[in-house]
Amino acid sequence: MRSYRPFVLQALSFLAVLLLGPGGSLSGQRSEPLKTPLSEDAILLFSNEISGQMAFDNMVKLAGAPWLRSPEELTGEGNFYESEEIYRMARAYGVETVRFDRYEAPGTFTYPLAGELWVDGRRMARVPADAALVASGSQSGEVEGRLIYIPEVPQSELPDLAAEIASDPDEYRGTVALMWSHPRGAMVELLDNAGVQAVISFSSRERYFDPDQVVYARGSYGQNQTLRLGFNVSWRQWSEMLEDVHRGLEVTIRGKAEIGAYPNRFETVYAWIPGTEPDLPGVVFTGHLFEGYTKRGANDNMGGPAIQLEILRALHHLIESGQLPQPRRTIHFIWPNEISGTYEFIRRDPSLVEKWSININMDMVSEGLRNANSWFTMSETPAQLASFYDGLAAAVLNYVWRTNDIVYLGGAPRGRPGGQYFPVPMWEKNGSRDAFRFFIHEATGGSDHIVFNNASVAVPGIEFFTWPDQWYHADTDTPDKGDPTEMKRVAFIGASTAWVSANLTDEMLPDLLQAVSDFGYNRVAERGIPKALETLGKAETGDMKAGILASTIIEAAVERERDAIRSIHEIHSGSRTATRLVDDELASWGAYGDALRGFVLQAAAPGLAGGLSLPEPTSEEASHASRIPRLAPGIRGQEFNMGRFQPAQDYFRDHPGILNEIGLTNAQTSQISNWVNGRRSILTIRDRVAAGTGQEIDVAQVARYLEILEEIGWVEIERSR
């Protein structure tokens, strides 16, 4: 291992130059901190029209319904309340371009129609008053028995518990178990065979913050003979029962549940603001109305559709009143069942994927930040689907922060004299006066944006999100946790960024390019450069493999930002001026990338003039540089999971161990699939996967895996001309 100390001063001085973008400003520090691609007049227009209070009121309408669904909703004789109501509200705003889709789905869903839990003759909870009482997966039935405590048992100690049960079976037979979590796997079988009738458990985001919340949870009770019921209670209720058991009291539990099963279905509400160029890529908002049909949360996620409904209302009004023109690109709104409903919506009209440039997903965005001890966050677009939107959103988020917080920075705007006021406050009379705080992080999953980031859809998707959420998946996720001020700010962020994305003018373009590049230089400085230097730091001076990998990491980091700039070509006006501006910015990034790679190669071999010299591509690498994989016909927008693709199932069943023979990990095969876009060569995909995983990978391995995907009909491989 070598020390970097002799090279530190040289590296830092060179980095100081490299981290300056072509515009001359240090990455991440904008010369005009409140600058966005929108004009001041447009910002004022959106801020004045958007109402966080109206969004909040609509969330109350959506989430304030009775917890227990009506028989008509369950059987399908009527529609689900949420989809029916948001469709009605959109129509009431005069939006005619709104559609209610309903179609059958495979299988059935279960729903707790009734439930009770009694402790020593005292009713502790019941459905519908306590919506989360009955654990999903339970069977209908009644139980009565003595309460016992079963502590957490590691898998390795299950034989000890089995021996204990065998030594005194009457201690367990006919009882109700108090457990830290609902049992899974071998523990379920053990307790079922022992004659335990039910389990009482709790889960909590922060048990001392809200000890009375009950979190929706599920257990493996559906196939058991004896252990058929699970109950969810609060931390306070659970701990008091534990205290009584430890005191030696004999506690009697009585409980029951009635579970109904109903034909599954999808209900999706789809609205849109038509663009004058409807066949070119526009914007698609998503916010799920359902996450299963039992849990009905305000922040998760009636707040998301309510905020997007306010965006729809505001834009519709501004356009209809002549204050805004019709956008060039269509702005779409999809309110589905989370993830599965979004996939089904796309599968039924796969042509839509060609009409979207960016997905803006909102999930859990309505809570007050101070009340929830939270941050407003954004999950950025993934590297393989780099988009202008990351930089655009960062600029608008920065604007909302700098105008709705007391920022002690030079050039920060100031409000009224005589006190610490927000410079340009964006709040509601009945909302909080919270400062706005935000954080942008690498791409994550967990909500509808992963549908768009799926390689078979390949539309860049981001997620706006509030975390931590102290009432996540709990029966206390109710409208009183919402904040009209926060909802106004989120609606402003969504509306303004969507408007730039759907109606980018040549006047907006220079500021958008600056925002995207500012964010890109910062991302390269924070992630790409440290990762490359870390790779070199683990190797000996002059190590060729480490030098190649570090150079590959830098190239991938820079090309990600160039891809983000390139994506602006999809949305700009198409004028010669716009095309030239984007191409000039790409050229600046190209020069920056060349200089940065030179720095890394010098760092790899500081004693050599000119640094480490990389070898020429091998003949095999050169051959794969002209082979371009693309998704096969019938895959994009129609097949979303290779594991469920029948030809893939047949192939891997007939060729067990083939991936081990090739020498690829699951992470590598997943990334290989993600990078296929019909423009990248097999060699480029190899380099991007190596950079992403930080591991060497041979181009022959990548080629062999893609050839398998071609054999099963997932991709086609063409040779570029």
Side-chain angles (χ1 to χ4, degrees):
M1 304 299 288
R2 61 189 168 93
S3 170
Y4 265 80
R5 289 184 179 178
F7 190 62
V8 165
L9 292 179
Q10 179 186 356
L12 289 178
S13 62
F14 195 63
L15 275 175
V17 176
L18 287 174
L19 296 184
L20 292 174
S25 61
L26 191 63
S27 70
Q29 297 296 323
R30 308 204 67 187
S31 57
E32 299 177 80
L34 298 187
K35 192 69 173 176
T36 76
L38 289 166
S39 67
E40 291 184 13
D41 288 343
I43 287 175
L44 190 62
L45 188 67
F46 286 127
S47 180
N48 284 335
E49 180 57 36
I50 289 169
S51 169
Q53 187 64 54
M54 292 172 68
F56 177 85
D57 293 345
N58 285 333
M59 179 182 71
V60 172
K61 294 176 185 177
L62 290 169
W67 285 103
L68 196 64
R69 294 192 183 276
S70 69
E72 291 76 18
E73 287 182 84
L74 296 171
T75 61
E77 295 177 27
N79 297 319
F80 289 125
Y81 172 84
E82 299 92 328
S83 48
E84 183 81 30
E85 182 66 10
I86 200 168
Y87 174 80
R88 184 198 63 76
M89 288 191 286
R91 296 287 296 184
Y93 286 139
V95 178
E96 296 182 357
T97 50
V98 59
R99 195 175 80 200
F100 189 110
D101 290 351
R102 172 174 160 159
Y103 22 82
E104 294 180 357
T108 60
F109 69 92
T110 59
Y111 193 84
L113 301 174
E116 293 186 3
L117 183 64
W118 296 73
V119 180
D120 284 339
R122 177 175 58 87
R123 192 201 307 269
M124 177 173 282
R126 61 180 164 187
V127 174
D130 301 284
L133 171 63
V134 179
S136 297
S138 294
Q139 303 180 49
S140 295
E142 296 188 32
V143 299
E144 183 170 355
R146 179 172 52 86
L147 183 67
I148 63 171
Y149 170 63
I150 298 179
E152 287 285 283
V153 178
Q155 189 76 15
S156 60
E157 296 179 14
L158 281 181
D160 297 335
L161 177 60
E164 180 180 324
I165 293 173
S167 68
D168 190 1
D170 290 340
E171 179 65 21
Y172 293 86
R173 188 179 298 114
T175 60
V176 174
L178 190 68
M179 301 183 68
W180 286 88
S181 60
H182 291 287
R184 299 283 191 273
M187 175 65 89
V188 173
E189 183 178 357
L190 180 60
L191 297 183
D192 187 41
N193 291 336
V196 175
Q197 299 182 86
V199 167
I200 300 174
S201 183
F202 89 98
S203 179
S204 180
R205 300 304 146 210
E206 173 47 67
R207 67 184 71 165
Y208 299 111
F209 180 89
D210 184 359
D212 296 310
Q213 70 175 224
V214 180
V215 175
Y216 292 88
R218 67 177 300 110
S220 302
Y221 304 112
Q223 305 301 317
N224 303 333
Q225 296 299 311
T226 305
L227 182 57
R228 298 159 56 91
L229 281 173
F231 296 102
N232 303 313
V233 297
S234 72
W235 161 246
R236 190 192 305 276
Q237 292 168 327
W238 190 92
S239 61
E240 288 178 354
M241 284 188 278
L242 178 64
E243 179 183 343
D244 289 344
V245 171
H246 279 325
R247 289 171 59 201
L249 301 179
E250 184 159 315
V251 179
T252 300
I253 299 294
R254 181 161 57 90
K256 68 177 182 179
E258 180 185 351
I259 310 296
Y262 304 94
N264 209 356
R265 68 182 189 269
F266 290 112
E267 290 186 6
T268 301
V269 178
Y270 170 50
W272 64 98
I273 296 174
T276 59
E277 301 169 351
D279 293 329
L280 294 179
V283 178
V284 55
F285 282 98
T286 49
H288 68 82
L289 283 172
F290 310 103
E291 191 172 353
Y293 300 121
T294 302
K295 182 187 76 65
R296 303 172 77 175
N299 186 53
D300 187 15
N301 183 43
M302 292 304 98
I307 288 171
Q308 292 178 4
L309 178 65
E310 176 58 15
I311 294 171
L312 173 63
R313 182 206 64 79
L315 292 179
H316 173 77
H317 170 73
L318 292 172
I319 293 167
E320 289 295 305
S321 62
Q323 299 177 74
L324 284 177
Q326 201 74 24
R328 289 190 299 108
R329 307 295 175 84
T330 299
I331 303 174
H332 307 254
F333 299 81
I334 304 173
W335 299 313
N337 197 337
E338 187 176 31
I339 300 177
S340 61
T342 305
Y343 274 127
E344 183 66 15
F345 181 84
I346 293 173
R347 188 186 67 79
R348 288 175 174 268
D349 190 357
S351 66
L352 283 171
V353 300
E354 304 292 345
K355 300 178 181 180
W356 297 327
S357 67
I358 185 67
N359 164 238
I360 305 172
N361 184 50
M362 293 184 180
D363 192 349
M364 301 162 54
V365 289
S366 56
E367 286 180 345
L369 298 184
R370 183 182 299 176
N371 189 34
N373 193 27
S374 300
W375 285 68
F376 186 73
T377 71
M378 187 184 95
S379 169
E380 66 191 16
T381 58
Q384 72 273 11
L385 293 170
S387 170
F388 66 89
Y389 191 84
D390 292 345
L392 168 61
V396 175
L397 286 162
N398 185 72
Y399 171 86
V400 178
W401 166 51
R402 296 291 289 267
T403 55
N404 288 272
D405 196 358
I406 305 302
V407 182
Y408 291 99
L409 294 175
R414 292 290 182 260
R416 300 174 184 272
Q420 292 186 338
Y421 293 88
F422 290 173
V424 187
M426 190 180 296
W427 57 40
E428 291 286 354
K429 176 177 68 69
N430 297 326
S432 76
R433 297 299 183 265
D434 289 357
F436 182 74
R437 308 289 165 82
F438 75 93
F439 175 66
I440 299 175
H441 55 79
E442 295 183 58
T444 55
S447 190
D448 293 272
H449 61 297
I450 67 169
V451 174
F452 297 88
N453 291 333
N454 187 311
S456 299
V457 178
V459 173
I462 65 95
E463 179 188 32
F464 287 129
F465 190 65
T466 301
W467 195 257
D469 175 8
Q470 305 294 347
W471 303 280
Y472 177 65
H473 285 192
D475 63 352
T476 45
D477 180 7
T478 47
D480 58 296
K481 314 303 189 306
D483 177 13
T485 289
E486 180 69 4
M487 296 179 80
K488 178 182 179 72
R489 293 168 179 172
V490 176
F492 171 84
I493 292 163
S496 57
T497 55
W499 187 254
V500 173
S501 304
N503 199 54
L504 180 63
T505 64
D506 288 2
E507 291 73 24
M508 296 180 192
L509 181 56
D511 287 325
L512 177 61
L513 284 168
Q514 182 184 347
V516 176
S517 281
D518 280 354
F519 187 80
Y521 288 121
N522 198 46
R523 185 156 53 189
V524 171
E526 289 182 351
R527 303 183 199 170
I529 293 173
K531 187 174 182 179
L533 294 181
E534 181 182 359
T535 299
L536 295 178
K538 294 178 180 178
E540 297 294 330
T541 300
D543 185 295
M544 182 61 71
K545 289 185 177 180
I548 292 173
L549 182 56
S551 176
T552 299
I553 289 169
I554 288 297
E555 180 181 15
V558 171
E559 283 303 309
R560 174 181 186 167
E561 308 312 332
R562 296 188 80 212
D563 283 345
I565 297 292
R566 285 189 190 98
S567 71
I568 299 175
H569 275 313
E570 294 185 1
I571 65 168
H572 68 55
S573 67
S575 71
R576 294 176 62 182
T577 298
T579 301
R580 177 182 55 79
L581 285 173
V582 174
D583 288 343
D584 287 349
E585 193 72 11
L586 284 171
S588 294
W589 269 95
Y592 171 74
D594 291 342
L596 197 53
R597 280 189 294 275
F599 160 73
V600 168
L601 294 176
Q602 184 66 66
L608 296 178
L612 190 69
S613 295
L614 297 181
E616 293 295 320
T618 66
S619 59
E620 185 175 35
E621 289 174 332
S623 172
H624 290 306
S626 61
R627 299 183 69 200
I628 313 293
R630 68 181 70 250
L631 291 178
I635 298 298
R636 190 177 185 202
Q638 298 175 66
E639 297 288 346
F640 308 111
N641 187 328
M642 197 183 305
R644 298 178 183 175
F645 186 51
Q646 191 60 50
Q649 292 179 351
D650 295 341
Y651 181 91
F652 290 112
R653 183 192 62 239
D654 296 339
H655 300 81
I658 185 66
L659 295 183
N660 289 333
E661 293 176 20
I662 300 174
L664 294 175
T665 65
N666 288 335
Q668 289 171 327
T669 58
S670 176
Q671 286 210 24
I672 291 170
S673 300
N674 286 341
W675 283 100
V676 171
N677 70 347
R679 296 185 299 276
R680 300 184 184 106
S681 70
I682 292 177
L683 181 61
T684 298
I685 292 172
R686 188 280 305 269
D687 290 345
R688 298 297 179 268
V689 173
T693 61
Q695 298 174 329
E696 296 178 61
I697 181 171
D698 193 272
V699 70
Q701 295 173 286
V702 177
R704 179 68 187 107
Y705 180 66
L706 288 169
E707 287 161 0
I708 291 174
L709 299 191
E710 184 176 41
E711 186 174 341
I712 65 177
W714 194 265
V715 304
E716 295 177 341
I717 302 176
E718 300 177 357
R719 190 167 292 278
S720 63
R721 298 177 181 177

